Each structure stands twice: as C-alpha cells, then as structure tokens.
Amino acid sequence: MLDSNETNCARGRLDMKRRILAILLLFALLLTGCVIQTAVPVERADGAATAAPAEPTETVPAPAETPAPVREPVIDKTSGKTVLTLAGVRLQDYGWDALAGQFNAQNADYIVQLRDYFTGELVEGGSVPSEEEMERYRADLADAKTRLHTDIIAGNVPDMIVFDALSPLPYLGKGLLLDLDPYLTADADILPEDILGWDALHEYGGLYVLARQFVVETLMCSQDFYDAHKGWTVADYLEIERGLRDNQQMIYYMSPEEFLEQMGGRYLAKALDLDAGTCDFDNAELIGILNGALECGQYEALDYAGKPVSWRLEAGELMCCATWLDAPNSVTFDRVQGGKTLAYIGYPTADGSCGSVMRLYGDVGAFAAAASPEGCWEFIKYTLKNGADAAYYGSPVYAPLMREQVALRNEEAGQYTKATEEDVQTYIAAAQACRVMGYRDENVMEILKTECAPMLRGEATPEQTAKNIQARVSLYMAEQYG
C-alpha cells in the first residue's frame, strides 16, 4: 500500500485530471440528456411510423464557448472550514439537513451547505395525492432539475448530489461522477467488506454512488428449489412452469405485463450502454423474453386456506414468491413462519445472472469536478457510517451499523423478529448476490411497454416488436446519452 505522502500526491494528480475532464463533460450534458427533445418519427419494423419518446427532461441554457476554470475550494469565513455543497431535491424531507448538521458539528475541516432546488409544495403526509397534485409535483420536480442543470452549465457545479428524487443515469452516462474507489482504498478507517452489496454498487465499473440504506428485491423459494435452479434463465422458468401439476403455482403473482416489467425491466441493465449512448434490443435474448410474456401463466392470489406462503413453498405448492428484504429480521420472519430457512433466488434473467436487485435509499455521489473530492469522501463516508435510521425502511449499507441495529432490535424482538446469526448471514448473502442497483431509465421502459402492447394483443410478433424497440430506443439513447 502507498504511504500517506505517495497517496496524496497520486490523488492530487488524478484529481486534477478528473476535474478538468469533468468540467468539459459537464457542458455536454445540456446538449443531450438535459435538453427538451422533439418527437421525431421513427420507422417501425412493420413500415409504420411512430414518434420517439416526447417526454421532456429539462430545458437548460446554452453553454459558454469556453469551459469554466477548475474551481478552487471555498473557505467559510466564520468557521475557517472548506465548504462542500450538497445539491438535491427535497433534501430536508429526506433528512439531509440533519445529517449535514451532525457532520458539521464533528468535522474540523469541512462544512456542508445544502443547495435544494425544489421550491414547490408537497402534499401533506398521510393524504392520498390527487392527479392534479401529482401533475403539479411532477412540474415542480422538472423545474428543480432545470435549475440544477442551469447552475451546472453556468459553472456553479455542486460538490455532491443526492439521488433520492433524481436519477444518476444521465450523470453516469456522461462520466460526471467521481469514482470513490481510490478514496476508499486509501482510507484505513473503512474496508470493502464493510460495504454490503459491493458488486451491485460497482454496476457501472466504479464506486460512483453510495447510500445510507437499501432493500433487496428478490424472490423467495425453498432451499431445495434454490439448489436445483440457482442461476436460472427465462427459458428455465418457462420449462419449470410447463412441468407443474394442476395443483401447483409457479409464482405469486404473474401476468404478461408483469413478466415484461420484471424480466424485461431487468434486461435494460444489459441492453443499454450509457457511455456510448447505444442499445441492443434486436437480439435473441430479448425475443426470448417477449416470447416468455406470451407463454407465461397468469397467477393471482389464491385461497391459502390459512397456509402461509412459506408453508406453500416448502410443500411444493408454490415455487417462488416476490419479496423485499429490508433487514435480517425479514429472513427471521420467513424462517419462523415456515419452520425452515428459506432461500432467495431472484427473478430469472436472460443470461442466468442473479436477478435480485439492490434498491438504494439515501443514495449520494460526488461530481468529478468537485473542488474538494477528499472532503466529499469524508462526508459520504460519514453518511454511510451514520446516516441509516432504524425507523426508516431498509438496512444500513454499512455492515457494522447493520449489526448494531440488529442487536438493538433483538433486545425487544419477539419470536418472529429476533434475528439469529444464520438469519444475518442469509441476509448478507442475498445482498452480496445482487449485481445491479435499482436504477433504470423509465422512458426506455415506457417504450418497451408501449411497443409490447400490440404484441400482447396478437397484432405483432416478438421479432417485429424487438426491432421496433431497437429503432425507438436507439434514437432516444443518441439524444439523451450520445
């Protein structure tokens, strides 16, 4: 390992290159992912014309002809600390103001200042928003994104950004986020094994996003089913289903639309190349998923006659069931209810990779153009180690804090929620098995659903549908990410 002087020198050279490159790349953002796009007709495989997705992102001003200089750190006159700006939407609602205040009180070198771009009104807690209120919220959210990107283009780049109400995909696609791996590697205070979901967090090649909490979206099944079908594909799913008896159910629940949502939605991570702004949908794998949607059985809620799901799984009456694991005591509940420890297999995928998804809460990243990337790492590390709240949904990404929360819960837990070490290890294994985070481009997903609707009505073949999806998404990716 490098000594501290060598590490600091290497960091300094690397940071300067990253920051200069990032300033240049920031200006590309407005020309692609941040500009309102015009609906352009796209020729479909059946010869008809359809419009490309017309849903806008934000309008941002044109960039200056020359990039802004690399920013120098700003020093707070009152405290003498280096200022770190944390940008986002509805930061107070997600607890970032309190977390920043705690960090500022204990850190001698840095002070975090919030930059919240949301100025709209929120629906009062506990009430169901009307469609009018949701439309207003969506408009306010779009305005917030516009203000954020306007600041970026003007050279007023924040140091860090919160993704609670934003998607990191446009920033990842443009290479605008700081890879935190070098900072973690050089930090003796934290180890890779302290971070749950390591592989999923590295979905895009580096550690560009960390989070306070997470849940695992997966399928639960019996251990026997898991042992027989781990690494299953969409084709395996259909073959198993064809062999079921009349009194057996494949999954709870499933429909052609749900099949596309789950299997097709997971395929986006493989089909989209954010760096190149390209996609690959016109292939045998997607066609196999589309055929699966036509072939799969439909399963609604059945009369359980008092039988819990875990019993039905162990009895072989039900093969698998969707579940979200938000903490080790989720495993505990399934085990106690069923009498045996269940397994978590994930949805089948086109290539047999794990179909479990790590969904993040309190996710945050730093810009590669940050004035003080070392300071950004200090704050992000602080949120990782201290930001998870047991009152909120999800388990800490930081494994030692997860164990602390388990110990506290166990002090007052009953039979169904007192987690054993085996439960904890099962939960960790489910998190470590994830290969992707829960991010996806919803505009692309909407294209997939729209183009599949005629196929589900029998008006198009899977092969035609794959070509139509490829044509429309290709244009969209070129506009938004290219």
Side-chain angles (χ1 to χ4, degrees), residues 121-140:
E121 295 183 1
L122 299 176
V123 179
E124 292 296 328
S127 63
V128 178
S130 66
E131 183 57 35
E132 180 181 353
E133 288 172 324
M134 286 305 300
E135 283 296 327
R136 186 167 62 248
Y137 170 74
R138 284 189 282 265
D140 290 338

Side-chain angles (χ1 to χ4, degrees), residues 253-262 289-290 292-300 452 455-456:
Y253 86 102
M254 185 57 65
S255 67
E257 292 78 11
E258 181 70 7
F259 195 96
L260 292 171
E261 177 77 25
Q262 299 299 340
I289 292 173
L290 300 182
L294 295 176
E295 183 180 338
C296 71
Q298 299 195 54
Y299 303 97
E300 300 295 339
C452 285
M455 181 194 75
L456 296 180

Side-chain angles (χ1 to χ4, degrees), residues 7-86:
T7 298
N8 290 335
C9 290
R11 270 188 180 177
R13 292 191 297 270
L14 180 61
D15 290 339
M16 182 60 68
K17 291 180 181 178
R18 281 180 176 147
R19 288 161 63 190
I20 293 173
L21 176 61
I23 287 290
L24 295 172
L25 287 173
L26 281 167
F27 291 98
L29 185 61
L30 86 147
L31 296 175
T32 54
C34 298
V35 179
I36 289 181
Q37 303 293 341
T38 304
V40 180
V42 180
E43 185 174 350
R44 297 161 52 99
D46 55 11
T50 185
E55 180 178 337
T57 50
E58 304 85 44
T59 303
V60 295
E65 292 185 1
T66 57
V70 174
R71 296 181 300 122
E72 294 298 325
V74 175
I75 305 300
D76 180 63
K77 294 180 180 180
T78 302
S79 65
K81 300 180 183 181
T82 298
V83 174
L84 305 172
T85 53
L86 178 67

Side-chain angles (χ1 to χ4, degrees), residues 152-170:
I152 290 174
I153 298 308
N156 190 19
V157 184
D159 296 297
M160 298 172 288
I161 182 168
V162 169
F163 298 115
D164 280 319
L166 299 169
S167 170
L169 295 185

Side-chain angles (χ1 to χ4, degrees), residues 403-421:
R403 286 189 172 276
E404 288 180 20
Q405 289 191 1
V406 168
L408 288 174
R409 284 173 174 161
N410 278 352
E411 291 179 1
E412 300 180 355
Q415 176 187 9
Y416 281 87
T417 55
K418 189 169 186 177
T420 65
E421 179 60 25

Side-chain angles (χ1 to χ4, degrees), residues 356-379:
S356 297
V357 172
M358 183 183 191
R359 297 203 176 273
L360 306 180
Y361 296 88
D363 32 345
V364 61
F367 281 102
S372 179
E374 295 87 356
C376 293
W377 167 246
E378 287 301 317
F379 178 71

